[in-house]
Amino acid sequence: MKKSFKVSYDVCTFCNHQCSFCSNADPRTLKAKTSKEEFEHVMDNLCKSIDIHSLSLSAKGEVLLNRDLEAIIMLAKQKYAIEYVYCSTNGSLLDAKRIETLVKSGIDSIKFSINALDRESYAKIHLKDDFDKVIENLRMLLEMKRALQSPLKVFISVVSDMPKSFFEEGFLELLGDLFREVNTIFTYALQYTPKSEVSATAVVDAKNCLINPFGEIYINSDGSLGFCCKDYFDTINFGSLLENDFLTLYEAKEYTQMRERFIENRFEEGSLCYNCLLFEGLKK
């Protein structure tokens, strides 16, 4: 019996925003878009060996810059019968037509990354004056969801130390009655990215980090087998899934040792995982 995994396939690492907390704008960040053909090749490779219960299509970039996105979603839902397919977006590139194609593609949820409640604060964080456009695009999506009685889940995410209730009140004011169509708001504390060090710490076990190395597969936009969405500069790369059998890479010494480090809370000093805030508390 095949083991069931979550797959995070980052199908676009280009981005049209330059958020202050994100490393994407750093020139060391590797940029690529996954074509429909590349996606299918990699997924055929994976599905020979594993089952996939959920699929994330975004991590380090703006997924709507990939014009193959809807075709990729349709493949995931129809050919591979993946139960839950989702993505995150800053929402600035949507319009009525793109919203319609996204909804009809069969995607199960969309999360809007909106890191402020007003235009001025938004521009300081996103380094783009897109706040009004994003709120209008979110409204259009929620209106279509309501009109079609669509099961699509719509989330909002915010990187902030303010409580969730603060943003619930703010988005209720911005969206009015349409706020009922928002499934939930997620708030995230600032986390490690390679561009900068931050002072906050989280005292948790390393093997309880945002990724689950025993139940999640992370794939970079170029089709290579990676490890973590925070690895903007591709420091952990186990090889191309366009050229190598998945199990050969997954069961290789390098990947096996990486998983073992999570069991033992043992990471090489200076490595991506060693520098992660989720490991910080264990080093004190």
Side-chain angles (χ1 to χ4, degrees):
M1 183 176 178
K2 295 179 183 177
K3 184 177 178 180
S4 183
F5 283 85
K6 170 189 172 182
V7 171
S8 294
Y9 199 138
D10 194 8
V11 300
C12 182
T13 49
F14 290 90
C15 193
N16 62 325
H17 282 198
Q18 298 180 331
C19 295
S20 58
F21 54 81
C22 180
S23 290
N24 185 280
D26 190 300
R28 293 172 293 172
T29 301
L30 300 181
K31 300 294 197 297
K33 297 178 187 178
T34 305
S35 69
K36 173 188 173 184
E37 292 74 23
E38 290 169 334
F39 176 81
E40 188 169 17
H41 185 103
V42 169
M43 293 295 286
D44 284 346
N45 188 353
L46 289 178
C47 289
K48 289 186 300 182
S49 304
I50 65 172
D51 289 328
I52 301 171
H53 60 76
S54 58
L55 173 69
S56 169
L57 292 172
S58 53
K60 296 179 287 192
E62 174 46 55
V63 70
L64 292 175
L65 286 168
N66 189 332
R67 302 306 299 186
D68 280 356
L69 175 62
E70 287 85 347
I72 286 171
I73 295 167
M74 292 175 70
L75 269 175
K77 296 298 293 184
Q78 296 173 13
K79 179 175 180 178
Y80 303 108
I82 298 174
E83 182 177 355
Y84 192 73
V85 179
Y86 62 104
C87 72
S88 298
T89 174
N90 61 46
S92 64
L93 299 175
L94 287 171
D95 55 30
K97 183 177 180 180
R98 194 83 193 267
I99 289 171
E100 183 178 5
T101 61
L102 264 178
V103 173
K104 289 182 176 179
S105 71
I107 194 164
D108 295 288
S109 73
I110 300 172
K111 183 164 64 178
F112 276 66
S113 176
I114 309 175
N115 298 293
L117 290 171
D118 62 82
R119 182 180 176 185
E120 182 179 357
S121 300
Y122 183 95
K124 288 179 180 178
I125 296 171
H126 287 254
L127 302 185
K128 284 291 182 72
D129 185 15
D130 283 342
F131 180 75
D132 293 339
K133 181 195 303 183
V134 168
I135 296 301
E136 179 56 31
N137 290 342
L138 176 57
R139 289 183 65 88
M140 281 196 294
L141 176 62
L142 295 174
E143 287 169 353
M144 181 172 291
K145 174 185 175 179
R146 175 176 289 181
L148 297 175
Q149 298 184 327
S150 170
L152 173 72
K153 294 180 180 178
V154 179
F155 305 116
I156 298 172
S157 71
V158 188
V159 175
S160 174
D161 292 327
M162 295 295 289
K164 180 179 177 179
S165 59
F166 172 79
F167 291 101
E168 288 176 334
E169 293 172 6
F171 282 110
L172 173 60
E173 184 175 342
L174 286 165
L175 298 170
D177 182 63
L178 282 172
F179 186 68
R180 294 183 181 183
E181 304 299 328
V182 176
N183 291 83
T184 196
I185 295 174
F186 297 99
T187 56
Y188 301 104
L190 183 65
Q191 296 174 18
Y192 172 81
T193 55
K195 68 181 282 189
S196 63
E197 298 292 340
V198 293
S199 59
T201 60
V203 184
V204 297
D205 198 295
K207 61 179 177 290
N208 292 328
C209 77
L210 292 177
I211 63 167
N212 172 6
F214 305 96
E216 180 176 348
I217 305 298
Y218 183 81
I219 303 170
N220 295 305
S221 298
D222 63 359
S224 60
L225 182 61
F227 199 75
C228 177
C229 63
K230 295 297 180 184
D231 189 11
Y232 282 84
F233 309 148
D234 202 20
T235 61
I236 304 171
N237 189 314
F238 299 105
S240 174
L241 290 167
L242 294 169
E243 300 172 359
N244 299 282
D245 176 70
F246 165 70
L247 275 187
T248 300
L249 299 181
Y250 186 75
E251 295 176 351
K253 178 181 178 180
E254 292 81 3
Y255 204 118
T256 302
Q257 287 180 337
M258 193 69 187
R259 292 192 295 274
E260 289 172 351
R261 292 188 185 108
F262 272 74
I263 297 173
E264 300 166 2
N265 293 320
R266 174 179 53 84
F267 298 104
E268 185 176 337
E269 187 168 351
S271 67
L272 185 78
C273 294
Y274 184 88
N275 289 330
C276 181
L277 291 181
L278 295 175
F279 186 53
E280 189 70 28
L282 295 170
K283 295 184 291 189
K284 294 187 179 301

